[in-house]
Amino acid sequence: MATAVICEFNPFHNGHKYLLEKTKEITGEPVIAIMSGSFTQRGEAAITDKFSRAEAALQNGADLVAELPAVYALSNAQRFARCGAESAKSFKCVNHLAFGCETQDVALLSRAAQSTKNSEVQKLINTEMKGGGYYPRALESAVRQVLGDEVADVLTAPNNILAVEYLRSIENSSIKPLAIERRGAAHDSRSASGNIASASYIRELMRKNAEFKSFVPCVPESIAYPENLERVLLYRLRSMTAEDFRRLPDVNEGLENRIVAAVSQYNSAEEIISAVKTKRYTHARIRRILCCALLEITEELQSTPVEYVRVLGFNSDGASLLKSCEFNVVTSASKGLKLGGSVAELLQKDIYSTDVAALAYGKIRRSGEDYTEQIKRTAAQTNTR
């Protein structure tokens, strides 16, 4: 049996190492990490390349690292969780889905997950959304009114929100949830707790060339800077029509017109995001939309079912887990493309995303790394239980 972890490791830090170690301590099972590749849900290039992050994970507790396709990595929380869970379910050996969150009370998380099915909650959400509300806040408010503070408070913490989506995604499956309470610094905290710091704070330190090495088990050789992609992004945005924007994920209710107007008026990504942002359309959502525009990821493409697992690295234990995967297992980009159909279409977007992300580094990385980088292989680690 095995445990799956859906992750970004952006970058891989001591908190992630703790998550993997604690997971193994509890389950005694090898860990499959389903990891975002070259871009993340924040709507920007990952701080380090996916191959380096996979290797860091393998050296610190993971046994197999598979890439969450770019089209899903850049999706909202519901779709991100669902597609990650579908990849996990493709491994018949997966017994648990582990995740870090602010509470280990799975029963309480389950009550929050079930709250969306409550008819009174749905009525309140619909009323709030008609007035231009933001779904996560509308959900929290509705749950608070119908089910009380204890359940609603769960929905105020970012990692809990994602945990709730994971629980919804593994309903009616044999996979059991394993909640690991976060240790040290809070999500997006700009301060550290001992040798634990949030990923956002570590990224900030890395990009400022400040001291960050005590927070990570592996120091990357080079890092990406989102601003290095700004001119490429602006070029892409200025070449698009309202209809082009309408085809992107999460664009509806005339949002495309707001984007077109902002693109014609402003000369920076942040200015465009600020001009488009509303109570309903948050900064993070607009940033993801613009990133999807850059990579030409449409709603149609993002709605494509998961059908393959791209292997980034493994040890001997991880290699044996691949035998239980019912999806197409891709160990070579060129061979994967020969599978054709939606596998080739989605895999091509992974390859393109890596090439675009390569432009974000201080020293531009070469094109075609998906074809030339070897699968990372490490020695198996002894389970701690």
Side-chain angles (χ1 to χ4, degrees), residues 96-115:
H96 294 94
L97 178 65
F99 44 84
C101 56
E102 282 75 15
T103 176
Q104 287 184 290
D105 190 339
V106 173
L108 185 58
L109 290 169
S110 295
R111 287 176 62 194
Q114 292 298 316
S115 67

Side-chain angles (χ1 to χ4, degrees), residues 1-2 5-6 9 27 29 31 33 40 71 79 84 91 96 104 113 130 153 207 225 228 238 249-250 259-260 319 323:
M1 303 303 285
V5 175
I6 302 168
F9 295 157
T27 68
E29 298 171 346
V31 172
T40 68
V71 296
R79 188 171 279 171
F91 290 88
H96 294 94
Q104 287 184 290
K130 287 178 182 177
D153 286 346
R207 286 167 175 151
Y225 298 85
N228 288 346
R238 291 181 179 188
D250 286 335
I259 298 175
V260 168
K323 299 173 185 177

Side-chain angles (χ1 to χ4, degrees), residues 64 90-93 316 318-326 329:
L64 169 64
S90 74
F91 290 88
K92 294 297 125 181
C93 62
S316 56
S320 66
L321 301 178
L322 287 170
K323 299 173 185 177
S324 78
C325 186
E326 296 186 334
V329 175

Side-chain angles (χ1 to χ4, degrees), residues 27-44:
T27 68
E29 298 171 346
V31 172
I32 300 172
I34 300 166
M35 185 187 78
S36 298
S38 299
F39 282 81
T40 68
Q41 206 196 17
R42 293 179 61 85
E44 64 182 33

Side-chain angles (χ1 to χ4, degrees), residues 14-67:
N14 292 336
H16 296 135
K17 181 178 181 180
Y18 170 78
L19 170 65
L20 299 184
E21 289 176 345
K22 193 67 176 177
T23 295
K24 284 191 164 181
E25 178 186 325
I26 295 171
T27 68
E29 298 171 346
V31 172
I32 300 172
I34 300 166
M35 185 187 78
S36 298
S38 299
F39 282 81
T40 68
Q41 206 196 17
R42 293 179 61 85
E44 64 182 33
I47 188 80
T48 59
D49 71 276
K50 61 190 179 186
F51 306 104
S52 297
R53 283 157 42 232
E55 187 169 32
L58 290 168
Q59 291 172 353
N60 291 279
D63 297 282
L64 169 64
V65 182
E67 181 176 4

